[in-house]
């Protein structure tokens, strides 16, 4: 069993022989993380964020040096600093270990365990994670955490047509693995008529070829991660349960593989949804919004007080905010502001992008009420807002009480100074906190 390598914090300058710009250096049979210089009092929040970023970078460097087990030594290691280190120190396969301080252990162990589970789901190959297996793994994990308060129903393949979940069925019907709609109920009171406080909706495209609007080889390599929204909301519910959640929550996962065969949907096809909205397909690679529409319609049937959906929905969101932020869309200013404040307190980068009622009209079709995109590369200018506008057509109450997370920062194809290659788990803490606040 390997001995944990101690890691200290310091604000002293790097010693002679070490680059002045280094964030970590070897010392005293361990390592020292060099915190940035503190600035004016009115910028303390920026100072704190800068410190956490440096700590995460230091954790990444130590993992790259081959350190497999670390402990927190000396003063200054509060809970958020320890968590920042773990995010950087965790390798793609989650083989590294940390020894938390006694005062942070109870808070951070559930977070670490949840994040590892979410990352394992997203990083697993599509030969292991397909619609049914994803839903089964989510059910098993949440029943383990929530016990008798958790019940679940899977609607599979042709059953989706019977229940009028036409978006999920259309996208997934060409795969050897049938599409699935999971409705999981966490009802801690046990009362059948208890109000549904939250509906969490996740895009669960377990592999995305793009369909007949086929992706390039390089564009398809990471498409096992296209179920990142489903894993994120499932992880958020798991973490919230572990943190003592006592509200009724419905988890709605919209799962399919977007594949190609003679039965696959095609450009020019029209889907008519349960609420009467007709959608012309002009891009089979804009499939995420098609499955989420079914989830939003179900959330409306459940009369959920608040609705949160999460999806790796658009490349346009990554162009807008990069891959260290997630993008947020809502027409409910109060709820959106709450989410931004929660994200800031959880130290998860979240940026609100434009969404107005008129975004619903930005993908017109002469043959249907709307198209699912614009028939141009990337959906054209404002593609992320237009995708959110499409979803707004299906959100209950004209979008009041609804948040849409476009998970631009959910997955990195290659390691970077903050994260190992693969899933990041960004967004899990924010959504979990929205459930428990």
């Amino acid at each position: 069993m390997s001995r944990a390598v101690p890691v200290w914090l310091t604000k002293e300058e790097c010693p002679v022989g070490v680059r002045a710009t280094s964030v970590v250096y070897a010392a005293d049979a361990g390592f020292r993380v060099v915190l940035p210089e503190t600035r004016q009092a009115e910028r303390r929040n920026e100072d704190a964020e800068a410190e956490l970023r440096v700590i995460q970078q230091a954790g990444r460097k130590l993992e790259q040096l081959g350190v497999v087990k670390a402990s927190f030594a000396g003063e200054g290691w509060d809970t958020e600093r320890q968590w920042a280190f773990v995010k950087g120190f965790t390798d793609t396969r989650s083989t590294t270990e940390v020894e938390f301080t006694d005062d942070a252990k109870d808070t951070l162990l559930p977070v670490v365990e949840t994040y590892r589970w979410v990352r394992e789901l997203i990083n697993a190959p599509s030969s292991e994670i397909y619609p049914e297996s994803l839903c089964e793994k989510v059910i098993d994990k949440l029943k383990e955490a929530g016990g008798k308060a958790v019940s679940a129903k899977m609607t599979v393949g042709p059953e989706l047509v019977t229940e009028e979940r036409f978006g999920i069925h259309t996208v997934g019907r060409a795969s050897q693995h049938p599409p699935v709609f999971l409705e999981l109920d966490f009802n801690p009171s046990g009362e059948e008529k208890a109000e549904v406080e939250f509906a969490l909706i996740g895009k669960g495209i377990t592999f995305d070829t793009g369909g007949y609007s086929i992706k390039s080889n390089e564009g398809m390599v990471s498409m096992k991660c296209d179920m990142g929204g489903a894993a994120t909301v499932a992880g958020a519910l798991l973490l919230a349960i572990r943190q003592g959640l006592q509200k009724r929550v419905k988890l709605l996962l919209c799962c399919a593989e977007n594949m190609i065969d003679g039965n696959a949907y095609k450009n020019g096809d029209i889907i008519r949804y349960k609420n009467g909205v007709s959608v012309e397909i002009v891009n089979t690679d804009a499939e995420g919004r098609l499955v989420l529409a079914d989830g939003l319609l179900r959330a409306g049937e459940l009369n959920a007080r608040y609705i949160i959906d999460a999806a790796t929905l658009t490349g346009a969101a990554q162009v807008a905010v990069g891959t260290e932020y997630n993008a947020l869309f809502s027409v409910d200013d109060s709820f959106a502001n709450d989410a931004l404040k929660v994200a800031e307190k959880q130290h998860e980068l979240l940026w609100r992008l434009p969404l107005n009622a008129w975004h619903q009209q930005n993908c017109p079709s002469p043959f249907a009420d709307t198209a699912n995109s614009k028939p141009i590369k990337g959906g054209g200018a404002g593609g992320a807002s237009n995708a959110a506008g499409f979803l707004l057509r299906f959100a209950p109450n004209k979008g009041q009480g609804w948040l849409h997370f476009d998970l631009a920062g959910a997955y990195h194809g290659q390691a970077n100074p903050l994260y190992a290659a693969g899933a990041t788990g960004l967004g899990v803490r924010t959504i979990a906190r929205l459930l428990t606040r």
Side-chain angles (χ1 to χ4, degrees), residues 412-416 419-422:
H412 296 145
Q414 297 180 335
N416 60 44
Y419 289 101

Side-chain angles (χ1 to χ4, degrees), residues 70-90:
S71 63
F72 302 108
E75 298 179 351
W77 283 109
D78 62 25
T79 299
E80 291 301 329
R81 286 174 169 181
Q82 290 180 56
W83 173 236
F85 181 89
V86 169
K87 288 191 290 183
F89 187 59
T90 301

Side-chain angles (χ1 to χ4, degrees), residues 337-381:
N337 289 334
D338 286 346
L340 292 169
K341 290 175 184 176
V342 166
E344 184 177 0
K345 289 183 179 179
Q346 299 301 313
H347 303 285
E348 292 195 321
L349 297 175
L350 182 66
W351 196 266
R352 189 178 181 187
L353 291 180
L355 178 61
N356 290 282
W358 48 261
H359 278 104
Q360 296 176 79
Q361 314 302 327
N362 274 11
C363 296
S365 164
F367 304 104
D369 297 326
T370 184
N372 70 323
S373 184
K374 291 182 178 180
I376 53 178
K377 186 175 182 180

Side-chain angles (χ1 to χ4, degrees), residues 23 33 48-64 80-92 96 115 119 321-326 347-349 408-426:
V23 297
V33 178
E49 292 301 325
E51 287 180 350
L52 294 177
R53 190 175 179 87
V54 163
I55 291 168
Q56 186 171 343
Q57 290 172 337
R60 183 90 290 278
K61 287 184 178 294
L62 293 187
E63 190 277 323
Q64 290 172 322
E80 291 301 329
R81 286 174 169 181
Q82 290 180 56
W83 173 236
F85 181 89
V86 169
K87 288 191 290 183
F89 187 59
T90 301
D91 65 330
T92 299
T96 53
Y115 267 73
R119 293 177 68 254
V321 302
T323 57
E324 292 182 20
Y325 280 80
N326 285 332
H347 303 285
E348 292 195 321
L349 297 175
Y411 187 91
H412 296 145
Q414 297 180 335
N416 60 44
L418 292 170
Y419 289 101
T424 65
L426 184 67

Side-chain angles (χ1 to χ4, degrees), residues 240-282:
I241 291 172
R242 286 172 164 170
Q243 293 174 335
L245 178 67
Q246 291 300 312
K247 301 168 186 174
R248 189 177 189 182
V249 177
K250 288 275 192 172
L251 178 69
L252 308 174
L253 301 188
C254 309
C255 304
E257 282 189 333
N258 188 17
M259 304 294 281
I260 301 171
D261 78 353
N263 191 39
Y265 76 123
K266 305 173 289 296
N267 288 340
D269 287 356
I270 292 177
I271 304 174
R272 290 178 174 84
Y273 282 89
K274 196 172 185 178
N275 66 343
V277 173
S278 59
V279 177
E280 181 192 6
I281 305 304
V282 300

